[in-house]
Amino acid sequence: SPGRKVLIVYAHQEPKSFNGSLKTVAVEELSKQGCSVTVSDLYAMQFEPRATRSDIVGCLHNPEEFNYGVETWEAYKRGGLSSDLVEEQKKVQEADLLIFQFPLYWFSMPAIMKGWMDRVLAQGFAYEFPDCYDSGLLKNKLALFSFTTGGSREMYTKGGISGDIRYLLWPMQHGIMHFCGVKVLAPHVCFAPEFVSEEKRKEMLVAWAQRLKTLWKEEPINCSSEWYFK
């Protein structure tokens, strides 16, 4: 894996948090392997999650009626997206692997990270009809969702109160990443770190470091709905 580039998109307010530790473990472990690692620390960057007119520099394609998707697509083609987006797109473009590190909020990612998806993965950059799913524009990249939950592992099973954890991954892994052509590695879920012992949390960090050691040998998951709903 030397020479490979990794982008970690990280959403947590507190560096001393468990998510902060997971992010640090990834940076250290991957750097040790000779990968070059970039972190987009969304809260520290005060990343703007809202998709607005400000994302387009200069004149609009249609000033009469604002259509965000059309305007950002046109802006991307003429190099007229705002600098914060251009910067993130450049990081994505260069990365072989994208790691998303976050606490699960309401069965999904925090708003600041969803806003990153909404704004960065513009048409023309990440997909282009009909170039989506297997022919999405970000093919040859890998993604991995690493997150923490409030609920226990038992809660997130098919028969559990929250349903199978894989159900929640369908919109994130399939609807966003696979849509853009990205291949997805198995998610890394740390269940209920708040409610386990310090000892157990240390074990979780060690397990993540261990997994990262052989990450490049892993095969992506099967991209069909079967993986999620079988």
Side-chain angles (χ1 to χ4, degrees):
S1 61
R4 300 211 206 198
K5 291 191 161 69
V6 181
L7 171 62
I8 302 177
V9 182
Y10 160 69
H12 200 288
Q13 308 86 339
E14 173 53 65
K16 296 203 271 297
S17 65
F18 190 70
N19 271 272
S21 301
L22 288 161
K23 182 259 298 167
T24 302
V25 164
V27 172
E28 288 172 357
E29 187 51 52
L30 292 163
S31 302
K32 220 185 284 177
Q33 297 174 16
C35 301
S36 73
V37 185
T38 305
V39 178
S40 285
D41 181 341
L42 301 180
Y43 287 103
M45 291 155 69
Q46 300 194 353
F47 187 81
E48 168 61 81
R50 293 169 300 182
T52 67
R53 163 70 178 94
S54 315
D55 292 351
I56 297 102
V57 178
C59 297
L60 290 177
H61 179 69
N62 175 6
E64 299 309 302
E65 195 177 321
F66 185 70
N67 177 319
Y68 184 80
V70 170
E71 292 298 343
T72 49
W73 183 26
E74 293 296 336
Y76 177 76
K77 288 189 284 194
R78 66 174 166 81
L81 286 175
S82 61
S83 58
D84 59 339
L85 293 191
V86 173
E87 205 163 304
E88 293 307 298
Q89 288 176 343
K90 211 169 133 241
K91 295 176 194 173
V92 170
Q93 200 65 72
E94 290 175 355
D96 299 300
L97 167 67
L98 308 167
I99 295 178
F100 297 96
Q101 181 63 60
F102 58 99
L104 196 67
Y105 279 11
W106 297 116
F107 275 28
S108 186
M109 56 188 95
I112 200 165
M113 183 176 280
K114 178 55 164 55
W116 185 96
M117 306 283 181
D118 291 351
R119 295 178 64 229
V120 175
L121 302 174
Q123 184 169 351
F125 171 67
Y127 67 94
E128 186 83 273
F129 298 108
D131 293 329
C132 40
Y133 289 115
D134 291 341
S135 56
L137 303 180
L138 302 181
K139 52 184 178 291
N140 307 326
K141 295 187 189 302
L142 292 169
L144 193 167
F145 287 83
S146 170
F147 59 97
T148 59
T149 68
S152 66
R153 186 185 295 270
E154 295 68 52
M155 289 167 84
Y156 286 105
T157 53
K158 209 171 220 157
I161 193 157
S162 300
D164 195 319
I165 194 77
R166 292 182 175 198
Y167 302 158
L168 330 186
L169 289 159
W170 172 253
M172 299 190 252
Q173 294 186 164
H174 186 78
I176 305 176
M177 286 295 121
H178 182 204
F179 186 85
C180 297
V182 179
K183 291 185 174 60
V184 180
L185 295 174
H188 199 84
V189 191
C190 289
F191 289 98
E194 274 177 282
F195 303 109
V196 301
S197 64
E198 188 56 40
E199 203 45 52
K200 194 92 189 89
R201 276 197 291 276
K202 285 208 176 82
E203 282 168 27
M204 286 178 176
L205 294 175
V206 169
W208 177 223
Q210 281 305 116
R211 180 176 175 194
L212 290 162
K213 285 189 201 312
T214 55
L215 196 68
W216 303 104
K217 296 194 177 79
E218 290 187 19
E219 284 298 314
I221 65 164
N222 152 13
C223 280
S224 72
S225 60
E226 210 186 336
W227 187 88
Y228 300 89
F229 302 111
K230 65 170 188 292

